[in-house]
Structure formats: C-alpha cells, structure tokens
Amino acid sequence: MTVRSEPAQHAGMRASNLALVLGEVVRTGPVSRARLAARTGLTKSSVSGLVADLITAGLLQESAPAATERGRPATALSLAPGGVAGLGLEVNIDYLAAVVTDLTGAPRYHHVVRRDNRGREVADVVADLIELARAAAGSADAQALPLAGACVAVPGLAVDGTLARTPNLGWDRVDLADAVREGVGLDVELENEANLAALGEMWFGGHQHDGAPLRDFVHVSGEIGIGGGIVIGGEVFRGANGSAGELGHVVVDPAGPLCACGGHGCLERMAGQQEILARAEVSTVEELTRACEAGDRAALDAVTEAGRHLGVALSSVLTLLDPSAIVLGGAFATLAPWLTAPTAASIGHHSGTAPRLLVSGLGSDAAVRGAAGTVVRRVIADPAAHLARQVARAGS
Amino acid sequence: MTVRSEPAQHAGMRASNLALVLGEVVRTGPVSRARLAARTGLTKSSVSGLVADLITAGLLQESAPAATERGRPATALSLAPGGVAGLGLEVNIDYLAAVVTDLTGAPRYHHVVRRDNRGREVADVVADLIELARAAAGSADAQALPLAGACVAVPGLAVDGTLARTPNLGWDRVDLADAVREGVGLDVELENEANLAALGEMWFGGHQHDGAPLRDFVHVSGEIGIGGGIVIGGEVFRGANGSAGELGHVVVDPAGPLCACGGHGCLERMAGQQEILARAEVSTVEELTRACEAGDRAALDAVTEAGRHLGVALSSVLTLLDPSAIVLGGAFATLAPWLTAPTAASIGHHSGTAPRLLVSGLGSDAAVRGAAGTVVRRVIADPAAHLARQVARAGS
DNA sequence: CCCATATAGTCCGAGTCGTGAACTAATGTG
DNA sequence: CACATTAGTTCACGACTCGGACTATATGGG
C-alpha cells in the first residue's frame, strides 16, 4: 500500500525521453528531428539517438524528405503503421465486438456479432469471444501487424483481470482475462466499458477544446444501463476502488423508487433504456428513433423526461468535477436530436450553467476502439518497455 | 495549451531522487541512510550523496546514533525542525487567521482574529490580514525559522493569485496575492479554503486508511456556505476551470427552490447554516449545539433534516468519485454527534452503501493549517528547487 | 557556375550522476 | 580477541545528455 515512486536512473531518463519524443510525433504528426529537438527541449544529438532507437524498434519511420524553405530538406518522421497493433474486444449485453488498431490509431479490422448474451452460459459467450479474437488476430497476422496485447471492454467492474460484477449480465467473478490470454496468447487486460468508451472518444472522436483534444470531460453512455467515464488530464479517473463514474446511480430524485443497486431514485432507474422505452410504448431504440422522427408525442415526451433527469445528474457532475465538456454517447448519441435540448435546459435550471454538451461520433463503437487504443497507447506511453520486450523475445 | 512534459536530464534525475529521499523521510520518520537506500531502490552511495545535499540545504539533520541489534549503529536522519517554515493565512467570512508551520508540520505560531468581514471595506480587511501576517512572520523570525512562502486560504475561487469570486463575502477580483506579497515580502499563492481544508485534514488530521494516510477522500466543510474539497492520489482535484468540488451546489432536490448560484435545489440552499439555524430557531452554531445537547426537538430535527439532504449529495459524490472516505469538517464536525447518524442513513437509503464517514479533528483550523502545509510541502516535493533558490540568494 | 546563407542531421569530447564493489567504521557475539 | 554484522564512504566505471564542431543538402544572388 506504500506509494513510492521509482528512483530516477539513467535507463529511466532514456525511457522518459523516448516517450517524450514518440509522444510529440503522435501529437503533431510527421516532424523532423530538428523540430522535435526544438519542441521537446532536448538537443539535436539526443533526439537523433532516441529516434534511431525508435526506428529500430519499428515504432517510427522516415518518410520522404519534405522540401523546406531553405537549407537542407528535413526527413520527416512519422508513426510506423506496421509497428505495433492492439486488439480491442468487447463483451456487452447484446453484442460482442473485436477491433484491431495500428499505431496511428487507424482501425485495421472490425467485426461485431449481435446477439443477446443475457441468460446464455458464460462459457459459451467466452468461447464466442475467443473465436472472434482469434479471427481478429489472424487478420492482424495477415496484415503483418504484430499485436502488442489485448484489452477487453466489459459492462461491469474489472479487478485484476477478473470480472467482479456485471449487474446487467449477471456474471460473477469470471476470470475473463486468463481465458482470453490462453485463447489468443496475448497479454490481456480488462477494463470497464464506460471508461474505455470515454478514452475511445478522446482518442478517436475528434472533439477539441481550445484547439487541443479534450482531456477533461465526462462521457455518458446510454446503453441498457447508463454508464459514465470520467477523464481527467487525459486519464481515466477510477476512484479508490475502481468504481468511480457510475453516473447511472447518481440520485436524481431523493423520493424516487428503489433501484437494483440498493439505492433510491438513481438516474438509471428514472431514465434508463427500459424506462424510456416503456414510457414511449415501444420496445427497441430503433422504434423509438423512428417514432421521434415521426413526431410521436409519447416518444418525444419520454425522451424529454429522460433529458430532464439526465440534466439533474449532469448538474451534479458539473459542480463536482468541473469538466470542460460532456459527451453523450451510446444510444444517447442516437437520440441526441431530441435529447440534447431538454438535457441542456435541465442543466441550466439546476446548476445555472451552460456546459459544452457534445455528441459522440463513434456511438457504440467507442468502447471497442478505446480498448484497442489502450493497448497501442500503452506502447506509446512507454516505448522503452516495448523495446525491452522485443529484445527479450529476440534473445529467447 | 500544449501539454508537454519536460525532457529528462541529469539535473532532473537528481531533483527527482532528492525528492524521493526526502519524501521517504517524511513518510517514515527518522531513518538511516542504509534503510533509505533499501526503501528507495537507490544505492547506498547515491543516498549518501543526496543526503549530504539535503543536510547542507538545512532540510535534514543527523540525530543521535540509534543502537541496532548488531553491527555499526545507524545515524538516524530526520527532518530539520528549523529548516524551512510556511506561513498560512486565511480570510474568511467571520475571522482572519495565521499559522506558521515548520518542516515537520508542527504549528509554531497560531493566531485567529474573530470579526465579521461582510460589508467591511476590502482594503481594511486586507490591511488587517497583512498586519496578522507580519506578526506571524516576526514570530518565525524570532524562532529562526526561514519562511519559504505564504499561502492564503480564501472562501472563493482563486485564479492566478486573484480572488475571482467570493459569493459569501461579496468581493470581486481582488488582487490579494500581490497585496500580501508586498506586505510581507514573500512568495504568496491563493487557494480555495475548502481545498486547503482537505489538504490540512490529510496532512495533519491523522486519519488512516489501510494503515496509510488517506489519499483519496472528500472533505466537506460546513461553514456559512458548504464547501467541498476533493483529494485524489494525495492531490487536490480542481477540474478544468478550478471550480471542482463545490459540494454546496450539488442538486439534492430537483423541485427545490432557487439558489444564489442560479440553480435549483442545491445542497447549500437546503442544508446551509442559514437554513439549519432558521429551522432550529436559533441564531448561532453555539446555540444550536447547546440546544442539541439539551435534547431540543426543533434543533435535533433541523440537524436531522440537514443530514438527510447531505446524505443525498454525498450519495452522488460516492457513486461519481468512489472516495475511500468522507470527512466532515467545519461546523459539521461540531454537529457530528447528531449529524452523522441521519447522514449515514440517508446515504444508505440513496446509494445502498455504507461509506467511511469520518469527523475532522481540526475543525475550522483545517484550512489555515493546510495553507501553511502547502508551502512546506512544496519544498518537500521539490527540494532541488529550494536548494537552487538558496544558492541564488547566497550568490546575490 | 560558384559562393554565401540557411537548415538538417551526425560526431565526439565533456560533464553529470547513479552503480557496484572494495574499503573503513563501529558495534555485538562467542 | 577474533569474527560476524551492519553503516557509511570512496572511487573507478558506465549510461546518459549537452554542446559545439562538422558534414550534408538545399536556396538564391552575382
């Protein structure tokens, strides 16, 4: 439990500078060594050495010399699209998904299998997931993309690779990470779906704030349940026990009905998919969308009502966390045309502020893409570790 | 706006290791060099060199050799009580305060002036504060304590040394940092009172979690307004604009009345000091406490009602932030005997959980002590910078 | 065509700082 | 009193980055 940072040694210095240089390339796109030196504060000679390592590691590549105004033309350095790739997987209530992403973040494989997984044998679902993962790994192999690992998005709390709690799927203590690891032979980590969706949105959603990618925001995913992902300083905020951000169980009506979580008046109980559909007298989100498009009174009222409750919860989020934006994702993104106005109005009424309310461009893909991105970003954040692993593999 | 970390150089390596060693002494108390080497992962030779620097900087000192079981006895290293000190100041609604804290965190001077500052000329209050600060600085001087700086706790939002907004004091854009800097000739920073109270509670409150000091918690200070300080990983969480943690304006009743903040049904509007006192039909917290002790029905009901609302807000805090504890401070600490039970019950009802609900031991002193601690902790977190300043001073 | 200018990138000596092993210092044990 | 044991220092070595000199490659003006 003792929090103690590592001693700073020469190797760590180099590791940190490798990450600094690589990160700069990720942020700014193709750059010359000279420009990297200027932007990172390192000297040209240091940058040259660092870049050489990153090129041999297969993370960077030299592009064609770009003509500058005067003087010797710069050789641009860019991320190697074939350097490493990440496998993202997702187990959700009504679908399984797999994505392979390369270093640049581009999706190189994408497959979704829709099927309601509630009530199915856990082992069957896991077997399906592994099959999906193998197909994705096969595709990565065919494209000569070396997978650095896998990350599984799960609709619940993941603790040390074990799925500890999945309220909407009913699974309990499933050792999913081990199962997938054995199935595909990769390092596997588990992470909450809402958190990964937030990260996916940050990395691939294209939202900006003051000209830079969003780094402090809350992502709300309206799936069967209502999930929330809090991103602070570009990283997911997990809280002391890993269950922070559960927006679905914020109290929006102190006098409200009992929720499955044991509380009363939770947002999910008042504005969850089940409630909205019932109030609109339809049975799927597609039907609801069509009804809204057709101007159906009950449907519009149901969505407006949900927006009002959502606004109460988001008011608390805004005052407590002060994010620079809120992103509506999942089914809420689909319903955005009818949902945003009442939500914004409710926020205004309850907190007196008018926040930036954005709509996800990735929708339900955000989580898998975030999962794949997590693997790749781990390499980007610590290229030295990746280099060491390569050396170890070559040696054995 | 570009987020870019510094390049890692030799000086940075040393700075980081100096902080590592000093931090270890802060955490574990008197230790030998050998033990420090073992605990930090540095070699004995490196630790010796680092310790030598810290001793010449006046931050560490050698104590009498402590006899160990066998072998050469270790010379214990401990924080030098005369090394540096921090000046903490506080401007609040009904008092001004000053504290001087030495490196070990022990208060070496403490003075509070009670007086209602609402409606007074800003310049008069600032003059009083500077007078207080000068007395404190004089005392530090008399004790041969070199002040490393000052930090002022303010009941509002501080942005770049300017007091941007103080709802309960009515001040607007007061350049407090500059005024105090000129008054006492020290580096001065401003920080929100609720945040500093949380830090003070963490450093000096003595609360523990799993044997270590609390590092993820929310501090609720019930003064005239209701403030909240969020501490994550040992640091204050400020949000994108610095106004995170305003617990007083979390919505606890969507149908509630208009609040001064522009929202509706805010906690402060429902359970603020004004509301409680009015409902209990008394005019001060002291009267309220006496009434509660006497078993007065109206007083007890008023506190219970406040606890119910507080519980709703804290339920949202718990689900959103997942802290390892909640600390009740300020007047809420005084009212704790009657407040905690209804608050805990309300939390249980609204979120189905039973969190660790702690009571502040510092009460209204938390913020000033946190302010003084902030100055000292800054030196502890970056002793190299302090050393550089000393050298610069000696050279000039 | 040739030379000045400008910019990119490499090379290598110098300086800083942690490592690790040998060494000195100080205590207790048999 | 020798020996084991632990604390702390010394010093040669190596891994870095720095900084300036040097090479490479472009533009532009006479």
Side-chain angles (χ1 to χ4, degrees):
Chain A
M1 213 62 242
T2 355
V3 187
R4 185 166 57 247
S5 64
E6 292 295 298
Q9 301 165 332
H10 292 116
M13 197 160 87
R14 184 148 194 94
S16 152
N17 285 336
L18 283 168
L20 184 67
V21 167
L22 186 56
E24 197 57 38
V25 176
V26 170
R27 260 192 296 280
T28 61
V31 236
S32 66
R33 289 172 236 265
R35 221 187 160 67
L36 277 175
R39 298 193 55 115
T40 56
L42 292 161
T43 56
K44 286 192 296 175
S45 39
S46 300
V47 170
S48 278
L50 294 162
V51 164
D53 276 14
L54 292 170
I55 289 178
T56 53
L59 299 176
L60 284 186
Q61 63 180 18
E62 290 189 328
S63 324
T68 38
E69 277 193 16
R70 288 227 290 238
R72 174 174 167 179
T75 53
L77 297 162
S78 50
L79 291 172
V84 272
L87 172 57
L89 300 169
E90 181 173 4
V91 182
N92 218 315
I93 317 294
D94 49 354
Y95 65 92
L96 299 177
V99 160
V100 173
T101 293
D102 68 17
L103 246 194
T104 69
R108 303 282 289 259
Y109 176 89
H110 187 196
H111 192 56
V112 179
V113 178
R114 304 218 145 264
R115 175 164 181 184
D116 197 321
N117 294 312
R118 280 175 288 199
R120 291 183 67 196
E121 261 322 304
V122 174
D124 292 348
V125 180
V126 172
D128 283 2
L129 182 70
I130 290 175
E131 197 187 324
L132 205 62
R134 282 196 178 132
S139 166
D141 220 47
Q143 298 177 70
L145 287 171
L147 287 173
C151 176
V152 188
V154 294
L157 184 68
V159 180
D160 293 333
T162 307
L163 191 43
R165 178 159 57 83
T166 48
N168 293 314
L169 208 54
W171 292 13
D172 192 29
R173 296 175 169 245
V174 178
D175 211 336
L176 197 54
D178 273 353
V180 176
R181 181 168 18 248
E182 280 167 31
V184 293
L186 291 170
D187 278 358
V188 178
E189 81 185 288
L190 253 53
E191 174 59 282
N192 175 260
E193 167 237 358
N195 290 343
L196 289 174
L199 290 173
E201 204 62 43
M202 174 171 70
W203 291 324
F204 312 120
H207 301 294
Q208 302 255 315
H209 177 69
D210 288 349
L214 276 179
R215 293 179 62 82
D216 304 273
F217 67 100
V218 174
H219 182 264
V220 185
S221 51
E223 302 291 348
I224 305 276
I226 296 179
I230 301 172
V231 175
I232 293 168
E235 299 207 6
V236 164
F237 173 58
R238 293 190 171 72
N241 309 304
S243 62
E246 293 227 0
L247 194 71
H249 300 284
V250 166
V251 183
V252 296
D253 181 1
L258 181 67
C259 172
C261 76
H264 286 76
C266 300
L267 173 64
E268 191 167 306
R269 185 71 178 72
M270 309 296 289
Q273 217 170 88
Q274 217 169 339
E275 300 304 310
I276 304 182
L277 296 180
R279 212 174 291 128
E281 293 172 349
V282 293
S283 52
T284 67
V285 176
E286 286 73 35
E287 282 183 52
L288 179 62
T289 312
R290 275 197 299 275
C292 285
E293 279 166 350
D296 180 85
R297 192 78 225 147
L300 291 172
D301 281 356
V303 174
T304 302
E305 177 75 5
R308 231 185 33 238
H309 289 306
L310 185 57
V312 174
L314 290 179
S315 291
S316 295
V317 169
L318 288 166
T319 49
L320 283 175
L321 298 172
D322 186 27
S324 54
I326 286 173
V327 181
L328 297 179
F332 285 164
T334 317
L335 297 172
W338 309 280
L339 187 67
T340 36
T343 304
S346 173
I347 291 174
H349 182 256
H350 290 108
S351 76
T353 55
R356 268 161 57 85
L357 208 55
L358 306 174
V359 178
S360 163
L362 304 177
S364 296
D365 273 355
V368 225
R369 295 202 54 190
T374 297
V375 176
V376 172
R377 288 279 160 164
R378 212 174 286 292
V379 174
I380 290 174
D382 191 1
H386 183 249
L387 227 154
R389 273 197 302 275
Q390 283 183 326
V391 173
R393 239 194 314 272
S396 70
Chain B
M1 210 63 237
T2 352
V3 186
R4 184 166 58 246
S5 62
E6 292 295 296
Q9 304 167 342
H10 290 113
M13 196 160 91
R14 183 139 193 104
S16 152
N17 285 336
L18 282 168
L20 184 67
V21 167
L22 186 56
E24 195 59 38
V25 176
V26 170
R27 260 193 297 282
T28 61
V31 237
S32 66
R33 292 169 173 71
R35 221 186 162 68
L36 276 175
R39 298 194 55 115
T40 57
L42 292 160
T43 57
K44 286 192 296 175
S45 40
S46 301
V47 170
S48 279
L50 294 162
V51 164
D53 277 13
L54 291 171
I55 289 177
T56 52
L59 299 176
L60 285 186
Q61 64 180 19
E62 289 188 330
S63 324
T68 37
E69 279 193 14
R70 287 226 288 240
R72 174 175 166 178
T75 53
L77 297 162
S78 49
L79 291 172
V84 272
L87 171 57
L89 300 169
E90 181 172 4
V91 182
N92 219 315
I93 316 294
D94 50 354
Y95 64 92
L96 299 176
V99 159
V100 172
T101 295
D102 68 18
L103 246 195
T104 69
R108 303 281 288 261
Y109 175 89
H110 187 195
H111 191 57
V112 180
V113 179
R114 303 218 145 264
R115 173 164 182 186
D116 196 320
N117 295 312
R118 281 174 289 199
R120 291 184 65 199
E121 260 325 301
V122 174
D124 292 348
V125 180
V126 173
D128 283 3
L129 182 70
I130 290 175
E131 195 187 328
L132 206 62
R134 282 198 178 130
S139 166
D141 221 46
Q143 297 177 71
L145 286 171
L147 286 174
C151 176
V152 188
V154 294
L157 184 67
V159 179
D160 293 332
T162 307
L163 191 43
R165 177 160 57 82
T166 48
N168 293 315
L169 207 53
W171 293 13
D172 191 30
R173 294 173 171 248
V174 178
D175 212 336
L176 198 54
D178 272 352
V180 177
R181 181 169 18 249
E182 278 166 33
V184 294
L186 291 170
D187 278 357
V188 178
E189 81 185 290
L190 252 55
E191 174 59 283
N192 175 262
E193 166 236 2
N195 290 343
L196 290 174
L199 289 173
E201 203 62 44
M202 173 171 72
W203 292 325
F204 312 120
H207 302 295
Q208 301 255 315
H209 177 69
D210 289 349
L214 275 180
R215 292 179 61 82
D216 303 273
F217 67 100
V218 174
H219 181 265
V220 186
S221 51
E223 303 292 349
I224 306 275
I226 297 180
I230 302 173
V231 176
I232 293 168
E235 300 207 6
V236 165
F237 173 57
R238 291 188 172 74
N241 309 304
S243 64
E246 293 227 358
L247 195 71
H249 300 284
V250 166
V251 183
V252 296
D253 181 1
L258 181 68
C259 171
C261 75
H264 285 78
C266 299
L267 173 64
E268 192 167 305
R269 185 71 179 73
M270 310 295 289
Q273 218 170 86
Q274 214 169 340
E275 301 303 310
I276 304 182
L277 296 180
R279 211 174 290 127
E281 294 170 351
V282 293
S283 52
T284 67
V285 176
E286 286 71 38
E287 282 182 51
L288 179 64
T289 313
R290 277 197 297 276
C292 285
E293 278 166 351
D296 180 83
R297 192 80 225 146
L300 291 172
D301 281 355
V303 174
T304 302
E305 178 73 4
R308 232 187 29 239
H309 290 305
L310 186 56
V312 173
L314 290 179
S315 292
S316 295
V317 169
L318 289 165
T319 50
L320 282 176
L321 299 173
D322 186 27
S324 55
I326 285 172
V327 181
L328 296 180
F332 286 163
T334 317
L335 296 172
W338 311 279
L339 187 68
T340 35
T343 303
S346 172
I347 292 173
H349 182 257
H350 290 108
S351 77
T353 55
R356 267 162 55 86
L357 208 55
L358 306 174
V359 177
S360 164
L362 304 177
S364 297
D365 272 355
V368 224
R369 296 202 53 190
T374 296
V375 176
V376 172
R377 288 280 159 162
R378 211 174 288 290
V379 175
I380 290 175
D382 191 1
H386 183 249
L387 225 153
R389 272 196 303 274
Q390 282 184 325
V391 172
R393 240 193 314 271
S396 69

